[in-house]
Amino acid sequence: MAEWQGSPTAPELVVESDGGTQVMDPGRVYHVGRDPASEVVLSDARVSWHHAVLRAKAGHWTVEDEGSTNGTYTDGRRVQETGVGPGSVIRFGNPADGPCAVLSAPPRPTRVERPSAVSHPAGTSTFRRPSAVRPLPAARTTRIGRASDNDLVVDDLTVSRRHAELRAGPDGFEIVDLDSHNGTYLNGQPVDRAPMIPGDIVGIGHFAFALVGDELQEFVDTGEVSLDVQDLAVRVDKGRKTLLDKVSFPVGEKSLLAVVGPSGAGKSTLLNALTGQHPADHGTVLYDGRDLYRDYAELRQRIGLVPQDDILHLQLTVRRALGYAAQLRFPEDTAKAERQARVDEVIHELGLDQRVKQPIHSLSGGQRKRVSVALELLTKPSLLFLDEPTSGLDPGMDRSVMHMLRGLADDGRTVIVVTHSVLSLDVCDRLLILAPGGTIAYYGPPQEALRYFGYTQWPEAFEAFENDKGRDWAGEFRASPQHRRYIAMESHQPPRAPEAPRGPVAAPKAQSWGKQLHTLVRRYAAALTADRTFLIIMVALPFIMGAMAHALAGSSLAEGAGAINALLILCVGAVLTGAANAVRELVKERTIYQRERAVGLSRSAYLMSKVLVLGSITIVQAVVLTLVALFGVNLSAPGGKGVLLPPLLEITLAVALLAFTAMMLGLFVSALVRKEEVTMPLLVLLAIVQVVFCGALLKLTGVPVLEQLSWLVPSRWALGAMAGTIDLHHLVPQASTTDPLFQHSAGIWLLDMGMMIVLSLILGFVVLRLLRRHEPEIMRE
């Protein structure tokens, strides 16, 4: 930082150091050192007993070194005496990691000097100083966007070509969103149109703008951001069980932090709290001085999350998978060449150039993890979180992945990785070890961790957590020099008081519904057609079931009980065809859905893409099933006519509608279950229920409870429609065929068909609601 020029009368300053904050009066002199009598006491061995002096001189503040052994530094250079002021960061003893004092102006009630939504801008990278200052004309509109013809051009692919306008009026300025893709945010909250006063922050992509006087100050989130975690606590079972307890630590810019600990120590809970997926019950997460939970609507776009499970369709090639992701995440007005250039850029950055045409499922575990990371890097996140990225990898691949993360941090990101592996912790800047109960047992350089615990091997340290459960690991660490050095002194943000409970955050502003649906349909169709096993089953199943029904039908449905059996097999075939297509589709993509939903995926567009693709496939299969089953068969309908249409067409429509409804039932099961493994047993159960309650084997009319339950079974209505088409009671006069739903009448046939449509709509609505359970908790209403 250049030497700060003071005002004619030196102002008061706030100095933050060694975990404390005090206001400096320009009428006093402040000594800095290890001497307990100093006004600013720093308990670090690198600090001299009398190290430096802060004083007001000639209208401004200065820092003067008192001949210290290890020196005083501002902006990385050693100084003897220099001017300082709000925004200055002074380090003592070491220019990189020595204890520091952060100076800022005290709050003033009458005039806003700094963006109101940022805590202590001097301790941040983004808001420490503006990247540009632009004078604002008093009576015109300033248009902001990515296109070169804007008044203020923002070079960021997440920004729309014409994104927003800052309009000047008689009552001041107003920010107006121009229906942008990723939204315009005022102090972290999405707005369409809102007045803007001095001190407000307008967020557009990775850029922020603040009104200061008649100027517009621009701040850029370059990726070099810090994270300050303050007093996080998570409790469940009405507060009886603690998952995290008073967890506080700082993460510096361009750092790689590893989080380790025994099972049940709260690693996943911490990850969810830090990403905003499941906010902590108490405490604050500061993203470069901004409250992540309060400003989550805006800041979530700058957070990349790579879960343990794959977040890509494994059947697609690397390039196609990343291409579809780019279409979903970037604005609609992004040119194909722009998207492709960014895809190529991350492919090269992750070393995947030789793998672009390979299906993802054919890659090694480490390469697949690189593809997942590449997907998250498309939008240039500043914070990158990874959950168990080396799980299941051999030691060599483990080290390769960790070195990749080291490189990502060095390139200008903050990377936090939750891991069970201790093989490559040496590449990390900081190591956080959680003890059982969700407390901090250690935070600091990985090289010092084993020595701190008094062990030589990691297994011994982890065994100590299990064998000494009553030990106060957190208390011991709070009293240690490591806590003072790596937490108290490295945190640039003073502790914040807990805020009022925060309400739910709306889903991110997405692309137009139709555009998203178009992309999702093409991606899903591409993934299905690349799955050869699915294609074989999809083609074979209707032919097999149709052949069985044809054998039972014989040459005419009027011959014996063949009509009932043939219609029953058509029902079972349609149910199995439709349900089998869909019963795994949502649960197997749950991780993908959760991640994409967090960054703007439309819930209804996602479900509709499944309905359109699977529905089309299912209806074609149902038509093939019916035609194979009834080819050359005399349907024996009264007078050779159906109720309203030709008999074969009516039966085909009933089977197709049943298969579609069964497909919706399969989606319901897939949205309901937690694990893919349970879907196949449930598919068998569904088939059995359809047989029992369709009305072919049991008399349901007039039987309390059973009759009412059968109304919820799609095959009940489908069998009724088919039986009405051929007048089943006339062909097979027995008690079970006297069912009122089997009547050969237009009203009954339309009721049967209509009820399947109603069941499909109800199932679709229920699936849509069930999908909400798998969204980030902070987004739920």
Side-chain angles (χ1 to χ4, degrees):
M1 182 182 296
E3 183 171 307
W4 185 85
Q5 299 299 318
S7 57
T9 301
E12 290 183 338
L13 281 182
V14 175
V15 60
E16 307 160 34
S17 61
D18 212 9
T21 302
Q22 61 178 302
V23 178
M24 296 198 302
D25 185 342
R28 297 181 55 192
V29 174
Y30 294 83
H31 297 86
V32 182
R34 286 189 293 114
D35 184 352
S38 298
E39 285 77 13
V40 180
V41 179
L42 300 177
S43 51
D44 187 291
R46 295 170 293 182
V47 176
S48 298
W49 191 254
H50 297 131
H51 196 104
V53 174
L54 282 161
R55 60 163 60 92
K57 183 187 297 184
H60 67 274
W61 285 92
T62 65
V63 60
E64 180 181 351
D65 189 83
E66 287 198 300
S68 65
T69 302
N70 295 315
T72 302
Y73 302 84
T74 62
D75 249 10
R77 59 188 178 87
R78 188 164 183 166
V79 296
Q80 183 58 41
E81 181 176 3
T82 188
V84 293
S88 296
V89 178
I90 310 169
R91 288 201 176 269
F92 304 95
N94 188 289
D97 62 354
C100 69
V102 179
L103 306 183
S104 61
R108 299 180 183 178
T110 58
R111 182 169 177 239
V112 179
E113 294 285 351
R114 284 288 188 175
S116 59
V118 179
S119 171
H120 290 269
T124 73
S125 173
T126 304
F127 294 98
R128 189 175 299 162
R129 62 176 68 87
S131 57
V133 177
R134 307 171 187 272
L136 282 174
R140 67 182 290 262
T141 295
T142 301
R143 193 174 65 202
I144 307 169
R146 200 177 76 250
S148 59
D149 60 349
N150 288 286
D151 302 298
L152 203 164
V153 179
V154 177
D155 185 17
D156 185 347
L157 274 185
T158 63
V159 174
S160 298
R161 295 182 65 82
R162 289 168 179 80
H163 196 104
E165 288 181 346
L166 184 62
R167 298 174 182 173
D171 299 324
F173 288 94
E174 180 183 49
I175 188 70
V176 180
D177 183 73
L178 300 179
D179 196 27
S180 63
H181 170 67
N182 282 317
T184 300
Y185 299 86
L186 182 66
N187 295 327
Q189 303 305 311
V191 294
D192 294 321
R193 177 190 294 262
M196 186 178 175
I197 63 175
D200 282 343
I201 296 177
V202 169
I204 295 177
H206 289 79
F207 288 69
F209 302 92
L211 278 177
V212 179
D214 58 354
E215 297 177 333
L216 187 67
Q217 294 188 355
E218 175 188 281
F219 303 90
V220 184
D221 183 343
T222 61
E224 297 183 13
V225 301
S226 61
L227 195 70
D228 226 287
V229 181
Q230 299 181 353
D231 208 24
L232 291 191
V234 175
R235 295 178 178 86
V236 295
D237 295 337
K238 298 182 179 179
R240 291 190 294 267
K241 183 178 181 181
T242 299
L243 301 182
L244 285 181
D245 189 15
K246 298 180 180 178
V247 172
S248 300
F249 59 90
V251 186
E253 303 162 12
K254 300 173 66 173
S255 290
L256 174 57
L257 166 67
V259 181
V260 302
S263 297
K267 299 186 296 297
S268 296
T269 303
L270 177 63
L271 182 67
N272 288 330
L274 297 183
T275 58
Q277 298 280 314
H278 300 282
D281 302 320
H282 179 275
T284 307
V285 180
L286 292 178
Y287 174 107
D288 218 29
R290 299 179 66 182
D291 188 322
L292 176 64
Y293 297 161
R294 183 193 62 202
D295 297 350
Y296 180 74
E298 176 187 353
L299 297 180
R300 62 182 157 199
Q301 300 179 32
R302 308 185 201 172
I303 297 174
L305 173 61
V306 181
Q308 184 173 349
D309 298 325
D310 292 305
I311 52 176
L312 293 158
H313 291 83
L314 302 183
Q315 300 87 354
L316 299 177
T317 64
V318 171
R319 185 180 293 282
R320 291 192 76 180
L322 294 178
Y324 283 125
Q327 290 181 48
L328 289 172
R329 297 197 179 195
F330 289 136
E332 292 179 56
D333 58 18
T334 306
K336 182 178 179 180
E338 291 179 294
R339 289 198 309 267
Q340 194 57 56
R342 181 58 189 154
V343 169
D344 292 340
E345 189 177 343
V346 296
I347 285 174
H348 180 70
E349 184 176 3
L350 273 300
L352 294 166
D353 304 79
Q354 305 303 315
R355 311 291 180 184
V356 291
K357 296 183 179 180
Q358 271 188 253
I360 296 173
H361 68 78
S362 68
L363 301 175
S364 67
Q367 291 166 345
R368 279 162 62 171
K369 192 60 64 177
R370 285 176 181 266
V371 179
S372 293
V373 172
L375 183 149
E376 290 301 308
L377 293 186
L378 286 172
T379 53
K380 298 185 178 180
S382 302
L383 281 177
L384 182 62
F385 294 87
L386 301 99
D387 188 10
E388 300 287 355
T390 61
S391 178
L393 302 183
D394 62 64
M397 197 63 70
D398 179 302
R399 190 155 188 84
S400 173
V401 169
M402 292 300 291
H403 275 277
M404 172 192 70
L405 301 181
R406 174 72 267 167
L408 293 177
D410 292 338
D411 286 343
R413 302 174 188 89
T414 299
V415 182
I416 299 177
V417 53
V418 173
T419 180
H420 277 104
S421 174
V422 295
L423 298 177
S424 303
L425 296 179
D426 57 301
V427 305
C428 301
D429 298 293
R430 290 289 183 265
L431 174 63
L432 171 64
I433 301 178
L434 292 176
T439 60
I440 295 182
Y442 174 81
Y443 181 84
Q447 297 81 3
E448 299 180 19
L450 283 175
R451 186 168 63 252
Y452 167 79
F453 289 113
Y455 296 107
T456 58
Q457 301 292 330
W458 281 108
E460 297 173 331
F462 280 91
E463 285 177 359
F465 290 125
E466 180 66 27
N467 298 334
D468 202 353
K469 295 183 178 179
R471 186 171 172 181
D472 185 9
W473 298 98
E476 292 179 14
F477 179 67
R478 281 194 298 270
S480 69
Q482 285 81 2
H483 180 276
R484 184 168 58 254
R485 182 178 305 159
Y486 301 121
I487 292 184
M489 297 180 65
E490 286 195 359
S491 178
H492 292 172
Q493 301 289 340
R496 290 165 57 105
E499 297 189 356
R502 308 169 180 92
V505 175
K509 192 171 182 179
Q511 292 177 342
S512 69
W513 191 87
K515 177 67 174 178
Q516 257 196 31
L517 178 63
H518 182 249
T519 302
L520 290 168
V521 166
R522 289 190 298 115
R523 183 181 69 175
Y524 187 42
L528 288 182
T529 53
D531 188 341
R532 294 183 180 178
T533 302
F534 177 83
L535 287 176
I536 293 172
I537 295 174
M538 179 183 67
V539 172
L541 186 60
F543 282 98
I544 295 172
M545 299 299 297
M548 293 172 60
H550 186 82
L552 291 170
S555 60
S556 174
L557 295 184
E559 298 176 359
I564 295 179
N565 294 333
L567 297 185
L568 181 60
I569 291 296
L570 283 175
C571 284
V572 173
V575 168
L576 285 177
T577 298
N581 285 344
V583 76
R584 295 168 52 248
E585 291 308 300
L586 296 181
V587 65
K588 78 177 183 181
E589 289 187 5
R590 185 153 297 160
T591 304
I592 298 174
Y593 171 76
Q594 289 174 328
R595 184 63 197 130
E596 292 187 339
R597 176 65 176 151
V599 294
L601 179 70
S602 165
R603 187 195 311 146
S604 58
Y606 175 75
L607 177 58
M608 185 57 69
S609 71
K610 301 293 184 186
V611 171
L612 289 178
V613 175
L614 290 176
S616 300
I617 294 171
T618 298
I619 289 173
V620 171
Q621 289 177 301
V623 171
V624 172
L625 165 65
T626 309
L627 295 180
V628 171
L630 301 180
F631 178 75
V633 177
N634 181 6
L635 301 182
S636 304
K641 298 180 180 179
V643 176
L644 296 173
L645 302 168
L648 182 59
L649 180 56
E650 283 190 1
I651 292 176
T652 301
L653 287 174
V655 174
L657 193 49
L658 172 59
F660 183 87
T661 309
M663 182 268 296
M664 296 300 297
L665 188 59
L667 289 176
F668 165 73
V669 171
S670 193
L672 188 65
V673 301
R674 296 185 179 276
K675 295 182 179 180
E676 188 177 347
E677 293 79 8
V678 304
T679 57
M680 288 301 107
L682 288 176
L683 177 61
V684 175
L685 179 61
L686 281 178
I688 294 174
V689 169
Q690 302 303 314
V691 171
V692 172
F693 285 94
C694 70
L697 304 180
L698 297 176
K699 185 178 185 300
L700 299 172
T701 306
V703 181
V705 180
L706 287 183
E707 181 179 13
Q708 287 71 39
L709 286 176
S710 71
W711 296 344
L712 302 176
V713 177
S715 62
R716 171 88 165 108
W717 305 100
L719 183 64
M722 290 187 287
T725 294
I726 64 174
D727 195 2
L728 184 62
H729 181 64
H730 176 75
L731 296 177
V732 186
Q734 59 187 42
S736 63
T737 60
T738 59
D739 195 316
L741 296 180
F742 291 0
Q743 294 179 23
H744 185 75
S745 72
I748 295 298
W749 189 83
L750 290 174
L751 172 65
D752 291 333
M753 298 293 284
M755 282 302 298
M756 285 190 283
I757 295 175
V758 170
L759 287 174
S760 295
L761 293 175
I762 292 174
L763 287 167
F765 175 77
V766 173
V767 171
L768 205 59
R769 300 299 292 177
L770 287 173
L771 284 174
R772 291 178 65 254
R773 300 186 312 162
H774 309 298
E775 297 173 1
E777 185 177 291
I778 198 169
M779 290 169 55
R780 300 180 201 166
E781 299 176 0

